[in-house]
Amino acid sequence: MSTPDTLAGRRLRFLNRLYARLSSRQKTVKGFVSQPEPRTVGSFARGRQLIAGNILFSGYLVESPDTRLWEVAAPTTAFDKERHGFAWLDDLAAVGDMAARAKAQNWLWGWIESYGNGTGPGWTPDLAGRRVIRWINHAIFLLRGQSREQSEVFFRALAGQTWFLSKRWGAAAPGLPRFEALTGLIFTGLSLEGREDMADPAVKALAQECALQIDAQGGLPTRNPEELLEVFTLLNWAAAVLHESGRGAPQAHMAAIERIAPTLRALRHADGGLARFHGGGRGLEGRLDHALAASHVKPGEPKGLSMGYARMSARRTSVIIDAALPPSGPASGNAHASTLAFELTSGRRPLVVNCGSGVSFGAEWRRAGRATPSHSTLCIGGYSSGRLVSNPRDPGVEALKDTATRVPIELSEMADGVRFRGGHDGYVRNFGLTHARTLELAFDGRGMAGEDMLLAVEDSDKRRFDKAMDSVSLAGIAFDIRLHLHPDVDATLDLGGAAVSMALKSGEIWVFRHDGACELALEPSVYLENGRLKPRATRQIVVSGRALDYATRVRWTLAKAHETAVAVRDLARDEPVFES
């Protein structure tokens, strides 16, 4: 997130620059207290691409086989932040050969030469924290074969950044940026000789942040699953460093880890990836499993919601539903209008998804990804269940306004499955209509039934609905139920337009049907995924209809192929699909 161009924002940037310059005057250190152990997980494939000179950061590819990383002109601010954060060191270390080490050493000492004096855009607390963690994690990899003089330059740069973090961690925004800054300070303070005193305030501050930022459901205010994973990973790393130094982590720190672990398990689909809501992606391959194992928190059954999400799972099928209000206030920078949207994964294959975050593809894609039509839920006339409003002081950050104020939900068991019921009033303001959704998943995981209703509940709602109907000459309020499909799903609209068949690469065939009162279509969609140059083309199932009265209902089923006959029969009976 960019620093707003306000008096406070300008003061923050000035102080960061001032302390960054002063950091270059700090005394160096002799070495590490003990040999650092690598804790981060990188991508071998991305590491090979970096060695070849293909630099892909924040959705932008720069081909630079012969020049240093810092000689490349950054196409965007996000690109610049990613390279200054040094997370790419994980990828080069994952390759680990001589070519990877040479590239890593060239780029790291190049940063010291260009920015080690306290200049450049990398001197913010969160980036400094992210950077020093990687330097320490991969110190043995980086220092091998280096001269004494080069090692002294390395330790002097680490000492300067440690001092900078000790002075500026409080300027990092609450949430992930502050967790990065504090964890970085703990890493350097406990790893470098003579800097232990700088770690003490950070240990106490990190425990306080855990108590403030991690709620009773084990979630963050942003409700971003991938961001929660990043915070969880940082807390695990900090706890490991504290235990190895003989200190032990504070109780609030460990309690936060214990709250987060079951939440992340609830937000993990059957294929191991995270649910993609509120700006988050699936997470780096292997990061979630590694973090859960490192936490030593035993698996347990979640009770109720997890960070505002409901989970239904049966056999090899997982369904995760956004069942709470969107993030608000300072946490709403990446909030999506996704209330009651769901994702469904069968075994190792995602089937129903949301479009995802468009942050890495520019402002227009970012805005589009946050809208309700980009999620697998009902939307009215192309409207979102909340509107994006620009901040005049910081146009790059849009808040989500006029969202739902109430999201009542109920999770229960039936005779042959599990049921989710929920509703939200995000459309009452404009149309007088409440969206209510019921999802029922069979215990064998082979089918799900859905029901979407639009209801004018109160007398005031009915008056709003009548006014909306008058504005369209009583033609009805147009709505669409959208189910976005993963790009690997091969979807076909059956002859007559009565059903959609979906073939997964695993060989499974799923079929979507509805009760026939609306039009069914297959339309283009996109799958927005960080780390790619452009959005991936995919398809979406769209059920279109019009609300003509105070109550409108659409029933549908999503079932594996040989369950289809049962689903059709029960739709005709007008009864819950999987309930005895």
Side-chain angles (χ1 to χ4, degrees), residues 361-381:
F361 302 106
E364 290 186 6
W365 278 115
R366 180 174 184 266
R367 185 181 179 89
R370 299 175 69 184
T372 302
S374 294
H375 299 83
S376 293
T377 187
L378 179 146
C379 60
I380 294 182

mmCIF file of all heavy atoms in Angstrom, residues 361-381:
data_model
loop_
_atom_site.group_PDB
_atom_site.id
_atom_site.type_symbol
_atom_site.label_atom_id
_atom_site.label_comp_id
_atom_site.label_asym_id
_atom_site.label_seq_id
_atom_site.Cartn_x
_atom_site.Cartn_y
_atom_site.Cartn_z
ATOM 1 N N PHE A 361 -2.038 -6.619 -11.989
ATOM 2 C CA PHE A 361 -2.342 -6.339 -13.398
ATOM 3 C C PHE A 361 -2.784 -4.887 -13.628
ATOM 4 O O PHE A 361 -3.267 -4.559 -14.705
ATOM 5 C CB PHE A 361 -3.424 -7.301 -13.905
ATOM 6 C CG PHE A 361 -3.049 -8.750 -13.782
ATOM 7 C CD1 PHE A 361 -3.623 -9.552 -12.821
ATOM 8 C CD2 PHE A 361 -2.090 -9.307 -14.615
ATOM 9 C CE1 PHE A 361 -3.267 -10.882 -12.687
ATOM 10 C CE2 PHE A 361 -1.724 -10.628 -14.494
ATOM 11 C CZ PHE A 361 -2.315 -11.418 -13.527
ATOM 12 N N GLY A 362 -2.652 -4.045 -12.622
ATOM 13 C CA GLY A 362 -2.984 -2.639 -12.797
ATOM 14 C C GLY A 362 -4.282 -2.247 -12.111
ATOM 15 O O GLY A 362 -5.050 -3.082 -11.621
ATOM 16 N N ALA A 363 -4.531 -0.926 -12.096
ATOM 17 C CA ALA A 363 -5.659 -0.372 -11.337
ATOM 18 C C ALA A 363 -7.010 -0.872 -11.839
ATOM 19 O O ALA A 363 -7.913 -1.153 -11.044
ATOM 20 C CB ALA A 363 -5.612 1.153 -11.389
ATOM 21 N N GLU A 364 -7.177 -0.989 -13.169
ATOM 22 C CA GLU A 364 -8.475 -1.400 -13.704
ATOM 23 C C GLU A 364 -8.796 -2.845 -13.347
ATOM 24 O O GLU A 364 -9.927 -3.173 -12.960
ATOM 25 C CB GLU A 364 -8.501 -1.205 -15.221
ATOM 26 C CG GLU A 364 -8.515 0.261 -15.645
ATOM 27 C CD GLU A 364 -8.675 0.426 -17.133
ATOM 28 O OE1 GLU A 364 -8.896 -0.597 -17.832
ATOM 29 O OE2 GLU A 364 -8.578 1.573 -17.620
ATOM 30 N N TRP A 365 -7.817 -3.734 -13.458
ATOM 31 C CA TRP A 365 -8.037 -5.125 -13.090
ATOM 32 C C TRP A 365 -8.237 -5.262 -11.588
ATOM 33 O O TRP A 365 -9.027 -6.090 -11.121
ATOM 34 C CB TRP A 365 -6.877 -6.001 -13.547
ATOM 35 C CG TRP A 365 -6.957 -6.417 -14.975
ATOM 36 C CD1 TRP A 365 -6.098 -6.071 -15.983
ATOM 37 C CD2 TRP A 365 -7.948 -7.258 -15.578
ATOM 38 N NE1 TRP A 365 -6.489 -6.638 -17.175
ATOM 39 C CE2 TRP A 365 -7.633 -7.373 -16.948
ATOM 40 C CE3 TRP A 365 -9.074 -7.920 -15.099
ATOM 41 C CZ2 TRP A 365 -8.389 -8.124 -17.834
ATOM 42 C CZ3 TRP A 365 -9.840 -8.671 -15.973
ATOM 43 C CH2 TRP A 365 -9.491 -8.770 -17.331
ATOM 44 N N ARG A 366 -7.519 -4.457 -10.828
ATOM 45 C CA ARG A 366 -7.688 -4.489 -9.371
ATOM 46 C C ARG A 366 -9.115 -4.126 -8.992
ATOM 47 O O ARG A 366 -9.734 -4.778 -8.154
ATOM 48 C CB ARG A 366 -6.702 -3.512 -8.726
ATOM 49 C CG ARG A 366 -6.767 -3.455 -7.204
ATOM 50 C CD ARG A 366 -5.639 -2.557 -6.676
ATOM 51 N NE ARG A 366 -5.600 -2.555 -5.225
ATOM 52 C CZ ARG A 366 -6.206 -1.648 -4.465
ATOM 53 N NH1 ARG A 366 -6.906 -0.682 -5.038
ATOM 54 N NH2 ARG A 366 -6.122 -1.701 -3.154
ATOM 55 N N ARG A 367 -9.636 -3.090 -9.635
ATOM 56 C CA ARG A 367 -11.007 -2.656 -9.355
ATOM 57 C C ARG A 367 -12.011 -3.719 -9.796
ATOM 58 O O ARG A 367 -12.961 -4.025 -9.079
ATOM 59 C CB ARG A 367 -11.272 -1.331 -10.074
ATOM 60 C CG ARG A 367 -12.625 -0.706 -9.758
ATOM 61 C CD ARG A 367 -12.817 0.594 -10.530
ATOM 62 N NE ARG A 367 -14.106 1.182 -10.239
ATOM 63 C CZ ARG A 367 -14.342 2.035 -9.254
ATOM 64 N NH1 ARG A 367 -13.355 2.399 -8.455
ATOM 65 N NH2 ARG A 367 -15.551 2.529 -9.060
ATOM 66 N N ALA A 368 -11.786 -4.287 -10.977
ATOM 67 C CA ALA A 368 -12.706 -5.312 -11.489
ATOM 68 C C ALA A 368 -12.729 -6.541 -10.581
ATOM 69 O O ALA A 368 -13.788 -7.124 -10.326
ATOM 70 C CB ALA A 368 -12.311 -5.706 -12.907
ATOM 71 N N GLY A 369 -11.566 -6.948 -10.084
ATOM 72 C CA GLY A 369 -11.495 -8.130 -9.235
ATOM 73 C C GLY A 369 -12.216 -7.964 -7.918
ATOM 74 O O GLY A 369 -12.617 -8.952 -7.293
ATOM 75 N N ARG A 370 -12.428 -6.717 -7.480
ATOM 76 C CA ARG A 370 -13.083 -6.457 -6.203
ATOM 77 C C ARG A 370 -14.604 -6.421 -6.324
ATOM 78 O O ARG A 370 -15.296 -6.444 -5.306
ATOM 79 C CB ARG A 370 -12.577 -5.141 -5.619
ATOM 80 C CG ARG A 370 -11.080 -5.125 -5.344
ATOM 81 C CD ARG A 370 -10.590 -3.765 -4.880
ATOM 82 N NE ARG A 370 -11.090 -3.445 -3.552
ATOM 83 C CZ ARG A 370 -10.864 -2.283 -2.944
ATOM 84 N NH1 ARG A 370 -10.152 -1.341 -3.564
ATOM 85 N NH2 ARG A 370 -11.340 -2.056 -1.734
ATOM 86 N N ALA A 371 -15.126 -6.372 -7.527
ATOM 87 C CA ALA A 371 -16.569 -6.228 -7.732
ATOM 88 C C ALA A 371 -17.290 -7.558 -7.539
ATOM 89 O O ALA A 371 -16.732 -8.631 -7.766
ATOM 90 C CB ALA A 371 -16.841 -5.676 -9.129
ATOM 91 N N THR A 372 -18.567 -7.483 -7.170
ATOM 92 C CA THR A 372 -19.365 -8.693 -6.942
ATOM 93 C C THR A 372 -19.450 -9.595 -8.175
ATOM 94 O O THR A 372 -19.375 -10.822 -8.038
ATOM 95 C CB THR A 372 -20.775 -8.313 -6.466
ATOM 96 O OG1 THR A 372 -20.667 -7.537 -5.265
ATOM 97 C CG2 THR A 372 -21.619 -9.541 -6.179
ATOM 98 N N PRO A 373 -19.620 -9.059 -9.417
ATOM 99 C CA PRO A 373 -19.687 -9.959 -10.573
ATOM 100 C C PRO A 373 -18.437 -10.811 -10.786
ATOM 101 O O PRO A 373 -18.478 -11.771 -11.556
ATOM 102 C CB PRO A 373 -19.897 -8.989 -11.752
ATOM 103 C CG PRO A 373 -20.562 -7.797 -11.153
ATOM 104 C CD PRO A 373 -19.930 -7.658 -9.797
ATOM 105 N N SER A 374 -17.330 -10.486 -10.121
ATOM 106 C CA SER A 374 -16.108 -11.287 -10.240
ATOM 107 C C SER A 374 -16.073 -12.434 -9.243
ATOM 108 O O SER A 374 -15.054 -13.118 -9.124
ATOM 109 C CB SER A 374 -14.875 -10.397 -10.040
ATOM 110 O OG SER A 374 -14.765 -9.450 -11.082
ATOM 111 N N HIS A 375 -17.174 -12.656 -8.537
ATOM 112 C CA HIS A 375 -17.238 -13.697 -7.517
ATOM 113 C C HIS A 375 -18.395 -14.645 -7.802
ATOM 114 O O HIS A 375 -19.327 -14.310 -8.524
ATOM 115 C CB HIS A 375 -17.393 -13.074 -6.132
ATOM 116 C CG HIS A 375 -16.253 -12.189 -5.760
ATOM 117 N ND1 HIS A 375 -16.176 -10.872 -6.176
ATOM 118 C CD2 HIS A 375 -15.118 -12.430 -5.044
ATOM 119 C CE1 HIS A 375 -15.051 -10.340 -5.719
ATOM 120 N NE2 HIS A 375 -14.392 -11.264 -5.036
ATOM 121 N N SER A 376 -18.311 -15.822 -7.231
ATOM 122 C CA SER A 376 -19.322 -16.857 -7.489
ATOM 123 C C SER A 376 -20.499 -16.679 -6.527
ATOM 124 O O SER A 376 -20.622 -17.384 -5.513
ATOM 125 C CB SER A 376 -18.693 -18.247 -7.355
ATOM 126 O OG SER A 376 -17.760 -18.448 -8.394
ATOM 127 N N THR A 377 -21.324 -15.720 -6.870
ATOM 128 C CA THR A 377 -22.494 -15.407 -6.067
ATOM 129 C C THR A 377 -23.519 -14.704 -6.943
ATOM 130 O O THR A 377 -23.360 -14.621 -8.166
ATOM 131 C CB THR A 377 -22.116 -14.541 -4.850
ATOM 132 O OG1 THR A 377 -23.255 -14.388 -4.010
ATOM 133 C CG2 THR A 377 -21.596 -13.182 -5.271
ATOM 134 N N LEU A 378 -24.582 -14.212 -6.323
ATOM 135 C CA LEU A 378 -25.632 -13.488 -7.054
ATOM 136 C C LEU A 378 -25.319 -12.001 -7.058
ATOM 137 O O LEU A 378 -24.877 -11.444 -6.039
ATOM 138 C CB LEU A 378 -26.986 -13.752 -6.397
ATOM 139 C CG LEU A 378 -28.210 -13.050 -7.000
ATOM 140 C CD1 LEU A 378 -29.454 -13.936 -6.893
ATOM 141 C CD2 LEU A 378 -28.489 -11.710 -6.303
ATOM 142 N N CYS A 379 -25.541 -11.365 -8.197
ATOM 143 C CA CYS A 379 -25.428 -9.912 -8.257
ATOM 144 C C CYS A 379 -26.633 -9.356 -9.017
ATOM 145 O O CYS A 379 -27.217 -10.035 -9.866
ATOM 146 C CB CYS A 379 -24.126 -9.459 -8.905
ATOM 147 S SG CYS A 379 -23.883 -10.004 -10.598
ATOM 148 N N ILE A 380 -27.006 -8.146 -8.708
ATOM 149 C CA ILE A 380 -28.181 -7.514 -9.301
ATOM 150 C C ILE A 380 -27.742 -6.500 -10.348
ATOM 151 O O ILE A 380 -27.020 -5.548 -10.044
ATOM 152 C CB ILE A 380 -29.047 -6.833 -8.223
ATOM 153 C CG1 ILE A 380 -29.642 -7.884 -7.285
ATOM 154 C CG2 ILE A 380 -30.158 -6.011 -8.858
ATOM 155 C CD1 ILE A 380 -30.546 -7.324 -6.212
ATOM 156 N N GLY A 381 -28.148 -6.734 -11.569
ATOM 157 C CA GLY A 381 -27.939 -5.769 -12.645
ATOM 158 C C GLY A 381 -26.518 -5.295 -12.827
ATOM 159 O O GLY A 381 -26.281 -4.155 -13.216
#
